[in-house]
Amino acid sequence: RSPMLVLFASSPTWLPASTAGRRNVPASSVRTGGAALSAELAAKQAWLARTQPSWGPPSQLSGSVEPTVAAAPPVDEAAAKQAWLARTQPDEPAWRGQSSPAESAARLAFVHAPLSYFALDKLASKGTRRAGGSLVDVGEPEDWSRPIAKDAWSGARAGSWACSEGGWDSPKLRPTTETFLVLEGWGCVTDVDGTQHSFGPNDVVVLPRHWSGRWDVARFLHKVWVVHDHPDVPAGADGVVRAVVAPAWPHFGAPLHEGTIYDGGHTRVGVAPLAPGSVAVSAAEAGFWSSATAKFLWILDGVLFLTNADGSSRRCVAGDTAVLPAGWTGLVDTVQPARVVWVDVD
């Protein structure tokens, strides 16, 4: 599939405009206007009145204590979330009072970062790839990056990366599995046997552990990523470890992926629609919201609330990144139909 021939039927609200010639330009923050917020809040109040959950957070969390049942009246939760919505959402990740993902996991709190946290002007320059030792043979690509934190959740880290146009061979076997969602730009990765995988905005790309081949950036590239360090996984029947590319949003001429995109045993990746409703996640939860593994979420569309077991919450909208550590318990309220890319790691 040639990236220059792909047309989009529609795009998520967080996608930036055309990136031709774009370098070091701040990415747009996702904000909700007053009128839209009022309409959303009214819809949420109506929804809460119909489906108020019986779950109520305990006043304190110790170890892996599960959420307890409390007879909190509907007006209490609605009023609390109205007060929260009235405050300005910060541009920094929400650690919920923690200083690192390790401490966050210890208290079973999620981590949240808005799209603005990964604005291009907030990424740190890494210099040229040639200077960094890459085998560059096309152009003079330069890259920038910003992690959410340097610590890891279940051996995984998250962040953002950007790179200018150019190409380089990548013969060294990857020591980790990388999953990324393309925010803007076009590129191609080529497997060691010459199989090419082109990608563009809204595409999910997986480079499994021990992948090697080639990178080409055709147009300034900006992505959000999850890198997972895990034990070895088998290669294909022909011995080649192949990249995986799948669209997370409708394309003309490309199928819409829902469900699992990649399952490498220790790393699983997919796209999921979330219907309006409330899910109380407990230690015994199975299925999509299982707390047995760490879950990384990229919100493509819609609105949802994540609430920790201590009652602290965060509104998640299109463009946001959220991390639920293994063992996390709490409440997930999907207010507007949402669509997410998920990465589960163990």
Side-chain angles (χ1 to χ4, degrees):
R1 148 167 89 93
S2 172
M4 300 305 294
L5 298 179
V6 178
L7 299 176
F8 290 90
S10 59
S11 296
T13 54
W14 54 265
L15 262 186
S18 172
T19 61
R22 178 173 184 172
R23 296 185 65 172
N24 292 326
V25 180
S28 301
S29 301
V30 178
R31 301 292 185 186
T32 304
L37 187 58
S38 297
E40 177 190 316
L41 185 55
K44 177 173 177 61
Q45 289 177 306
W47 174 80
L48 283 170
R50 295 194 304 271
T51 61
Q52 178 68 20
S54 60
W55 179 87
S59 57
Q60 293 183 340
L61 184 65
S62 175
S64 58
V65 177
E66 297 182 17
T68 58
V69 176
V75 65
D76 286 352
E77 183 179 349
K81 290 187 175 178
Q82 287 181 57
W84 178 85
L85 282 168
R87 297 196 296 272
T88 301
Q89 180 167 306
D91 287 342
E92 296 298 311
W95 301 116
R96 293 296 148 211
Q98 319 312 315
S99 60
S100 72
E103 292 182 11
S104 178
R107 289 191 54 188
L108 307 182
F110 65 81
V111 172
H112 166 269
L115 179 62
S116 56
Y117 179 77
F118 297 126
L120 292 177
D121 61 354
K122 294 183 179 179
L123 305 187
S125 175
K126 300 174 65 178
T128 65
R129 294 201 63 87
R130 191 187 305 275
S134 293
L135 303 177
V136 175
D137 55 13
V138 176
E140 197 61 66
E142 180 181 357
D143 52 5
W144 297 259
S145 68
R146 187 182 193 187
I148 291 181
K150 294 182 180 180
D151 293 325
W153 298 268
S154 301
R157 305 182 309 279
S160 181
W161 180 81
C163 186
S164 59
E165 294 82 354
W168 60 93
D169 287 332
S170 185
K172 185 178 179 180
L173 300 183
R174 285 194 58 89
T176 59
T177 291
E178 178 182 5
T179 304
F180 63 86
L181 172 67
V182 180
L183 301 179
E184 54 181 303
W186 298 94
C188 178
V189 289
T190 304
D191 298 333
V192 70
D193 67 349
T195 303
Q196 295 183 330
H197 307 272
S198 298
F199 54 81
N202 299 313
D203 282 343
V204 177
V205 182
V206 182
L207 301 179
R209 179 181 170 94
H210 288 177
W211 177 87
S212 64
R214 178 176 176 81
W215 268 87
D216 287 283
V217 177
R219 183 177 296 178
F220 189 92
L221 183 67
H222 187 195
K223 68 182 186 182
V224 286
W225 52 262
V226 172
V227 171
H228 185 207
D229 189 0
H230 58 80
D232 287 346
V233 295
D238 57 2
V240 177
V241 178
R242 301 189 184 282
V244 176
V245 177
W249 201 261
H251 290 195
F252 280 126
L256 177 62
H257 284 262
E258 288 187 351
T260 301
I261 292 172
Y262 171 81
D263 188 344
H266 300 283
T267 309
R268 294 167 295 282
V269 183
V271 181
L274 301 180
S278 179
V279 177
V281 180
S282 69
E285 182 69 26
F288 181 78
W289 293 111
S290 171
S291 62
T293 60
K295 183 182 292 290
F296 295 77
L297 297 173
W298 293 315
I299 316 300
L300 297 174
D301 198 20
V303 180
L304 58 91
F305 283 84
L306 296 175
T307 303
N308 288 314
D310 65 1
S312 56
S313 65
R314 179 66 60 182
R315 178 175 178 268
C316 301
V317 297
D320 288 2
T321 298
V323 186
L324 309 182
W328 181 81
T329 59
L331 191 66
V332 180
D333 284 314
T334 303
V335 181
Q336 294 180 359
R339 185 174 177 82
V340 300
V341 176
W342 54 268
V343 181
D344 284 355
V345 302
D346 58 22

